Amino acid sequence: KNGDQREVLMNATALRAANGDVSGVIGVGHDITELKKMAAEQKQIADDLARLIRSANAPIFGVNTEGEVTEWNDMAASLSGYTRDEALGKQLVQTFIREQFREGVSRA
């Protein structure tokens, strides 16, 4: 009525008469406008943080519980000589740590 647009998630099912014939449709709507706005804001924050990490003037990397590189920023690439694509998925300790330091790093 006031011209505001709303996003509505609709679910519908057939309404059946006692004999089983379809006699109509029952619909239920759920206003998801605010949920969509929050999701967009969260994506913007995540994108901003990713840009910050990528362009930081310090090497930043991430590893998963298996020791595989999951994040590799521009400075890490510059210092190591490995591009982000080359580093992602590699074992951090085995690939990027000198052999004499691997044992100590692996325990940390």
Side-chain angles (χ1 to χ4, degrees), residues 3 17 20 22 26 34 49 51-52 58 75 81 94-95 97 104 106 108:
V22 174
I26 295 177
E34 293 304 314
L49 288 173
R51 262 191 308 283
L52 177 65
M75 185 58 75
Q94 294 302 316
T95 307
I97 305 298
S106 291

Side-chain angles (χ1 to χ4, degrees), residues 11-54:
N11 290 302
T13 189
L15 178 62
R16 297 193 179 273
N19 67 0
D21 290 344
V22 174
S23 61
V25 175
I26 295 177
V28 177
H30 183 72
D31 185 346
I32 59 169
T33 305
E34 293 304 314
L35 182 64
K36 294 283 251 180
K37 284 181 187 176
M38 288 189 306
E41 289 171 7
Q42 288 175 340
K43 183 180 181 329
Q44 181 64 46
I45 290 168
D47 290 347
D48 290 347
L49 288 173
R51 262 191 308 283
L52 177 65
I53 288 170
R54 207 169 26 254

